[in-house]
Amino acid sequence: FEVACCPANLARLLASFPKFIYAISDDGIFINLFVGSRANLKFKGCNIELSQKTNYPWEGSVKVGINPSAEKELKIYIRIPGWALGNPVPSNLYSYLDKKDGNVSVKLNGKMIPLNLEKGYLQIKRRWKKGDSIEIQFPMPVRRVLAHENVLENRGKVAIERGPLVFCAEGIDNGGNALKLAISDSSELRSCFRKELLGGVTVIEGEGFLLDEKGNKVKEQKIFLIPYFAWANRGKTEMTVWLFRKN
């Protein structure tokens, strides 16, 4: 490479990452990302310690602790991702096959509160004190994603998503084949965590088919998917995100 841009960009990302998780405005604090973390912020002269306990994105449970040095009134803004509300992206470029809305639940100090959103954020205004907590539960079903019909390359295909993660098939897990794999809309897809694989990842398994060059079924075959971010770590092999739909 004439310019090795990726290492430098990664260094910049890691250095600035804390600012992506939390942010401060004139009237409150934003929680933008769900990451096990602890932060000390100053809001209008008050020191506020925020903590997150979570195994996200593998699990949908997030617990946020708020500990101000003294009681303080402010808003806590919590970003609720579109995928958790039934929208994989803000536009109509992609959509979920099942069309179900999400079922996000939020508790304040153990009591359920309404999910009233404004511009993608849940706003909680109160006089915060030490020991206050917010618990968020995101739905984490395995979902099928379709592209807009005008995306010709993806017509008749489906992608698989769980929580915020998109999954892919690699040939190494699927008998050397990835580009001719197919799955039916009714095939059950199961997720499980494999701590010994790729440093520990959730995988998705299900029943599918292997197709020939003309799109005909050759045989039934198990489908094994890994998170898209983890591909290309086990040697040269085929990879695809979009599987053929074959009923």
Side-chain angles (χ1 to χ4, degrees):
F1 296 94
E2 294 182 2
V3 179
C5 60
C6 293
N9 283 333
L10 181 59
R12 282 194 290 268
L13 171 64
L14 292 177
S16 59
F17 190 54
K19 295 181 180 180
F20 298 152
I21 303 174
Y22 305 104
I24 299 176
S25 69
D26 291 338
D27 63 350
I29 294 173
F30 286 76
I31 300 174
N32 299 308
L33 300 176
F34 306 107
V35 182
S37 57
R38 188 177 299 274
N40 289 289
L41 307 174
K42 181 164 284 190
F43 178 81
K44 295 184 178 180
C46 181
N47 293 319
I48 299 176
E49 181 188 80
L50 291 179
S51 63
Q52 287 192 53
K53 293 182 179 179
T54 182
N55 196 29
Y56 187 92
W58 311 123
E59 298 174 10
S61 177
V62 182
K63 185 172 183 178
V64 180
I66 300 99
N67 288 292
S69 58
E71 291 190 12
K72 188 71 173 178
E73 183 174 295
L74 70 146
K75 288 182 180 179
I76 297 291
Y77 295 85
I78 301 174
R79 185 180 67 89
I80 305 299
W83 65 261
L85 302 172
N87 300 302
V89 293
S91 70
N92 65 350
L93 180 59
Y94 301 110
S95 61
Y96 289 125
L97 178 63
D98 57 21
K99 305 295 184 183
K100 293 180 181 177
D101 292 335
N103 188 26
V104 181
S105 65
V106 179
K107 292 181 180 179
L108 173 61
N109 294 331
K111 295 182 179 180
M112 199 79 73
I113 61 174
L115 195 70
N116 298 322
L117 302 182
E118 184 176 337
K119 296 181 179 180
Y121 283 83
L122 170 65
Q123 301 179 23
I124 307 175
K125 183 180 181 180
R126 61 182 266 113
R127 192 168 185 85
W128 299 90
K129 59 184 183 297
K130 286 186 178 180
D132 282 342
S133 67
I134 302 168
E135 296 174 68
I136 311 153
Q137 187 66 48
F138 293 111
M140 295 292 245
V142 178
R143 304 193 73 172
R144 290 165 164 83
V145 180
L146 303 179
H148 191 282
E149 61 179 9
N150 289 340
V151 183
L152 301 182
E153 181 65 25
N154 292 336
R155 281 188 184 176
K157 295 181 181 179
V158 64
I160 306 301
E161 184 179 290
R162 180 180 182 270
L165 298 182
V166 174
F167 284 71
C168 70
E170 283 196 298
I172 193 171
D173 301 310
N174 296 279
N177 301 294
L179 302 179
K180 293 298 180 183
L181 293 177
I183 193 167
S184 72
D185 292 346
S186 60
S187 177
E188 179 186 0
L189 296 173
R190 305 170 297 277
S191 64
C192 65
F193 190 79
R194 295 282 185 89
K195 64 179 181 179
E196 78 287 351
L197 180 64
L198 296 164
V201 294
T202 291
V203 302
I204 295 174
E205 299 176 274
E207 302 298 326
F209 308 98
L210 180 64
L211 306 180
D212 61 20
E213 295 297 326
K214 295 182 179 180
N216 299 313
K217 294 179 184 178
V218 175
K219 62 177 180 178
E220 293 184 354
Q221 180 170 317
K222 291 186 179 296
I223 303 292
F224 188 96
L225 308 175
I226 64 168
Y228 175 70
F229 75 79
W231 76 283
N233 279 291
R234 294 172 293 166
K236 187 176 181 180
T237 185
E238 293 182 357
M239 186 281 291
T240 188
V241 168
W242 293 93
L243 307 173
F244 289 97
R245 293 172 69 188
K246 198 76 173 179
N247 294 317

